[in-house]
Amino acid sequence: MTQPYLLYVDSQYLSPYAMSAFVTLTEKRLPFELRVVDLESGANRQPPYAALSGVQRVPLLLAGEFRLAESSAISEYLEDCHPTPAVYPTAPQPRALARQLQAWLRSDLLPLREQRTTEVVFRQPAIAPLDAAGQQAVAKLLALASGLLAHGGEHLFGDWCIADADLALMLQRLLRAGDPLPQRLADYAAHQWQRPSLQAWRQLGDAAAAAPQ
């Protein structure tokens, strides 16, 4: 690397996927610069960003002329290029389980993600009770998370990994909203949330929220 990576994220720092890519870069102590995209105004659909990203979403990583979107793809690419410090388990099976968890958190639990958006985590607006579909999604999440953490350890797979950040954010949607959460999962989410890389992202969001509109 002769120049810093560029990471495009949403201007309000609300995207859980942008957060995941940011945390990976931060944990790996790689030099990178942030660029923000105003999703509310539709800047992601306008040139030049639409042409730059292709998928018209955040996050987007630029490494020279190379462009890569989708947060889990970004984390895996950075892990391949910079194996240490690792953000995935080194053993094949735990590594596969971490990737499985990431994919599941991104593709399932839609009612939960819709009814407990990341604004609940980072802005804490008034919220309504979860409906039946939301409660079903929560039950799935809690069952899986409880099983993965049944070993009683501090992290999912021994050492910390990027899947810990992703799961912690999903659980924070419930914790911040005051929804019932088993104490073990509440403690896990609160502990993970204190990690410096996650706090750095939260501080960016706090600054964005406080900035004059």
Side-chain angles (χ1 to χ4, degrees), residues 89 94 97-98 101 105 144-145 147-151 153-168 184 188 192:
L97 289 173
L101 178 59
L105 291 172
L144 182 64
L148 288 171
L149 292 165
H151 52 68
E154 195 172 69
H155 308 301
L156 286 166
F157 306 109
D159 294 332
W160 179 90
C161 72
I162 189 60
D164 283 297
D166 291 340
L167 178 58
R184 167 71 174 119
Y188 165 82
Q192 295 295 331

Side-chain angles (χ1 to χ4, degrees), residues 45-91:
R45 298 188 296 273
Q46 302 298 321
Y49 186 77
L52 184 67
S53 70
V55 299
Q56 302 182 22
R57 299 167 66 177
V58 295
L60 174 69
L61 181 76
L62 267 63
E65 296 299 315
F66 179 67
R67 309 166 190 173
L68 185 64
E70 302 299 330
S71 58
S72 56
I74 290 170
S75 291
E76 291 177 21
Y77 169 76
L78 292 170
E79 185 84 336
D80 288 341
C81 293
H82 311 279
T84 56
V87 297
Y88 284 100
T90 55

